[in-house]
Amino acid sequence: MVGCISDLSACLIDAGIGPGLAGFLETLVGTLIVTLLPLTLVIILVWIERKYSARVQDRVGPNRVGPFGLLQPAADAVKMITKEDITPAGADRIVYNIAPILSALSVILIWAVIPFSPVHIGVDLSIGVLYFFAVGSVGALAVMLGGWSSNNKYALLGAFRVVAQLISYEVPNILAALMPVMIAGTLSMQGLVHAQAGMWFAISLPLSALLFFISSIAEVGRTPFDLLEAESEIVAGFNIEYSGMKFGLFMAGEFLHVLTIAILTAVIFFGGWLGPGVQEVPALGWLWLAIKSTILYLLALHMRSTLPRVRIDQLMSFNWKFLVPLSLVNIIVVAFLFKLVQELGLTPAADETTNIIANLPQTFILLLGNLAIIGGVLVYLRGLGREQRLANEMAAAVDEDVEHHPHHDEEVAAAAVAD
Amino acid sequence: MVSLWVYLVLAAALFSIGAFGVLARRNAIAILMGVELMLNAVNINLVAFWRFVRPDGGSENMFGQVFTVFVFVVAAAEVAVGLAIIISVYRSKRSVIAEEVDLLKW
Amino acid sequence: MNIEITFETITFAIFGVLTLAGGIGVVTTRNLIHAALYLIVSLFGVAGIFILLAAPFLAAIQVLVYIGAIAILIIFGVMLTRGMTHLPERFNRQGGLAAVVVIGGFVVLLVGVILPVWGPNGAVAAEAQPIFMTTRDLGIALVDKEQFVLPFEVASVLLTAAMVGAIAIARDDESRD
């Protein structure tokens, strides 16, 4: 029975089914799992998310429908489906209907390349990471189409903002994912996991992991970067005109996206399905991946419930003035150090890649480089903060002067400007 | 097995469609889209020739794909600059109809 | 002529139809937003063709660059030139002439493509062998000093120049301070 989980087609052939049919059935079951699993998970995710943020904010959260409110998502779904489906006058009907589908699709398609265990993966593309970014870019398109086709200027304005945000944060996101790809020497998801058998990339490349996680949160549009669909901003953003299940699809896509990026971060930086006993029982990989991604998912939820929202200009300058330069510096430093490690012959030998001891020198050097960048950035930010604080104190002092000599305030202001 | 000439016919058809768009459309943005179609037809040709004429792997046989990558780069640059010009023209003339931008005509 | 109905043939037919139908949509649709959507369909079809031709890296780049960046840029362009989205006249005065020229050109291309296969000399079309790892080879070719590293660098300079140029041209004069 356990064998069936690891290799379904061999199991079916044993049971007396022809090889062709067995292969087809295996593909069919795999496809169904990869597409239906995320759609089923969404229902649980909604409950977890509402309960978690309620607890953080000292509320009880859903507790009326079913035990612990577990049936609340079902009730929500029924409500969504029974709502009136309104298409605004003057809307572009076809585009208006395609947009929510594209939005959910762009997330579900990512699941095709997620490795759940050594043997369970939708398809191990040789360009897995690139596929993830290519599919993700369809999400921006969905937002744009949804905002435009609603025939509502606020929806359009919201869509412009969202697309600007998505395109901007894609830059540090890709640059951060480039580091593990460079060190593993492969774009395939399984290849990335195998490359971490000796050491997780999160330990040798903590800065890249952090950059990837932060910019992914922004790609998803979660607090603190959630002004694209925040309830209090431009009348809820690009999806204002959507109602019923179409709005539900946008929401489902968003909820699912958070879990998806948690899983991807786990796969790319935290060793994916790697864990004790995976070599003997491949199905254990599901458990390890689930544990790792749940921790990251809860971290994202915690960020959502505790951090304040940023303004649009802060959002943009944080990306272009902080994340992008930092990722570029990171690339140069890591690439240089990795080449150095190779030249010094400190990379683990081909037969020792799973040995932690053999991986230590390389990890140590890369980690040192990362820590040096982080330290440098912190020192720089400290200097910047002090400068700002001094400027504020100067301004406050000037203000006090103005209060003491109300008649001279114009002269003082002129002096301050001259300063 | 789909043969080389089928890919070439597909590329030729796409190229002709794009050329028609470039020659006949009035809106400058539509003309730009026609150019994109033509570039894509060229890309199909390049990759198809690479696949069928130089199929023995190895990095010294990658001309077709390499040139496609350069076409991508040039296409991205072309769209960025092209749209910038179109928007600039729209600001000054309130029009993006290619025939109406005729300052250089006698 | 015998055409085997295989998985590859069916896939090629689907992507080929997507490519051409999308292309026809681009040049004939009146609404430019719809034209941009047809462009995306067509480009997606080309990405599928790339996968059939054993170039998965190019297919992913096609989706990422064309659909994720160029198509969105074009949609932005259409939206920023509102009022020009629905022109009453799609084609200019030389539309008919252009159609004739293009069809003539297509026929010439067709003859040029098909004659070597079916003509008197009857050159046999090359059979493609299965190949793998083209992504790694492409990467090596792009940065190999014997091959394409110089064009590669020039391409990045071109992108920088295009970016600076686009910003300089499209910049709004009134907002200059």
Side-chain angles (χ1 to χ4, degrees), chain A residues 92 95 127 133 144 148 160, chain C residues 33-34 37 56-57 64 76 79:
Chain A
D92 194 315
V95 182
I127 47 152
F133 288 115
M144 191 90 227
W148 174 78
F160 275 134
Chain C
I33 294 279
H34 288 178
L37 287 182
F57 179 79
L64 193 61
F76 261 103
M79 288 174 182

Side-chain angles (χ1 to χ4, degrees), chain C residues 114-125:
Chain C
I114 290 184
L115 206 59
V117 182
W118 288 339
N121 294 326
V124 183

Side-chain angles (χ1 to χ4, degrees), chain A residues 92 94-95 98 126-127 130-131 133-135 137-138 140-141 144-145 148 151 156 159-160 163-164 167 170 174 185-187, chain C residues 31 33-34 37 40 56-61 63-65 67-69 71-73 75-76 79-80 82 85-86 133 135-136:
Chain A
D92 194 315
I94 302 168
V95 182
I98 289 177
S126 62
I127 47 152
L130 204 60
Y131 170 87
F133 288 115
V135 167
S137 68
V138 175
L141 186 70
M144 191 90 227
L145 295 179
W148 174 78
N151 196 26
L156 189 61
F160 275 134
V163 173
I167 291 181
E170 212 162 81
I174 293 181
T186 176
L187 281 164
Chain C
N31 185 336
I33 294 279
H34 288 178
L37 287 182
I40 290 169
F57 179 79
L58 292 184
I61 293 288
V63 175
L64 193 61
V65 171
I67 298 180
I72 287 184
L73 205 57
I75 292 178
F76 261 103
M79 288 174 182
L80 287 176
R82 269 174 104 83
T85 310
H86 295 269
M133 298 297 286
T135 309
R136 180 184 294 268

Side-chain angles (χ1 to χ4, degrees), chain A residues 80-378:
Chain A
M80 287 249 184
I81 292 170
T82 51
K83 283 257 176 175
E84 188 186 357
D85 178 28
I86 304 168
T87 306
D92 194 315
R93 236 161 232 290
I94 302 168
V95 182
Y96 183 77
N97 289 327
I98 289 177
I101 301 174
L102 273 184
S103 175
L105 195 69
S106 74
V107 180
I108 293 174
L109 278 178
I110 297 175
W111 284 63
V113 294
I114 294 178
F116 298 105
S117 80
V119 290
H120 295 118
I121 179 168
V123 49
D124 189 16
L125 289 181
S126 62
I127 47 152
V129 180
L130 204 60
Y131 170 87
F132 155 59
F133 288 115
V135 167
S137 68
V138 175
L141 186 70
V143 169
M144 191 90 227
L145 295 179
W148 174 78
S149 64
S150 302
N151 196 26
N152 177 324
K153 59 186 165 199
Y154 296 109
L156 189 61
L157 275 178
F160 275 134
R161 279 185 171 194
V162 177
V163 173
Q165 171 178 349
L166 292 185
I167 291 181
S168 306
Y169 276 87
E170 212 162 81
V171 177
N173 204 4
I174 293 181
L175 291 182
L178 208 59
M179 297 296 93
V181 168
M182 190 169 74
I183 289 179
T186 176
L187 281 164
S188 116
M189 287 289 191
Q190 286 287 30
L192 280 176
V193 175
H194 284 298
Q196 297 175 73
M199 187 60 78
W200 292 355
F201 286 135
I203 297 171
S204 52
L205 304 166
L207 185 58
S208 302
L210 202 61
L211 284 171
F212 184 82
F213 193 65
I214 291 175
S215 52
S216 293
I217 293 279
E219 282 276 302
V220 178
R222 267 311 161 97
T223 320
F225 309 108
D226 69 336
L227 59 170
L228 48 108
E229 46 220 324
E231 292 78 4
S232 52
E233 295 270 340
I234 336 186
V235 288
F238 69 94
N239 53 12
I240 173 173
E241 292 288 358
Y242 283 91
S243 59
M245 207 51 219
K246 288 178 202 156
F247 177 71
L249 270 179
F250 275 123
M251 286 306 285
E254 193 205 319
F255 277 106
L256 195 57
H257 210 162
V258 182
L259 179 69
T260 312
I261 59 127
I263 293 180
L264 277 169
T265 314
V267 167
I268 300 182
F269 290 101
F270 291 87
W273 43 258
L274 286 171
V278 169
Q279 295 308 325
E280 292 78 41
V281 188
L284 262 183
W286 288 79
L287 179 68
W288 298 126
L289 182 63
I291 291 174
K292 289 170 190 174
S293 44
T294 306
I295 292 172
L296 287 167
Y297 178 66
L298 291 181
L299 184 65
L301 286 197
H302 204 83
M303 281 169 76
R304 186 204 168 178
S305 11
T306 46
L307 291 178
R309 186 176 299 142
V310 296
R311 284 197 321 261
I312 182 92
D313 58 321
Q314 292 168 334
L315 179 94
M316 283 313 200
S317 37
F318 177 63
N319 179 53
W320 289 111
K321 294 182 186 168
F322 186 74
L323 288 184
V324 173
L326 191 56
S327 329
L328 289 174
V329 170
N330 187 27
I331 280 194
I332 296 170
V333 170
V334 171
F336 174 75
L337 287 179
F338 187 56
K339 193 74 193 166
L340 194 72
V341 167
Q342 279 182 331
E343 293 295 318
L344 292 177
L346 293 176
T347 41
D351 54 339
E352 280 186 325
T353 45
T354 57
N355 187 341
I356 293 180
I357 310 290
N359 271 286
L360 276 182
Q362 178 185 347
T363 309
F364 183 69
I365 292 181
L366 290 177
L367 181 63
L368 218 60
N370 268 265
L371 289 181
I373 303 176
I374 295 176
V377 168
L378 286 181

Side-chain angles (χ1 to χ4, degrees), chain B residues 3-27:
Chain B
S3 314
L4 175 60
W5 66 270
V6 188
Y7 286 104
L8 296 188
V9 169
L10 176 74
L14 188 61
F15 187 86
S16 305
I17 293 171
F20 176 71
V22 172
L23 290 176
R25 290 296 292 242
R26 295 177 77 213
N27 191 315

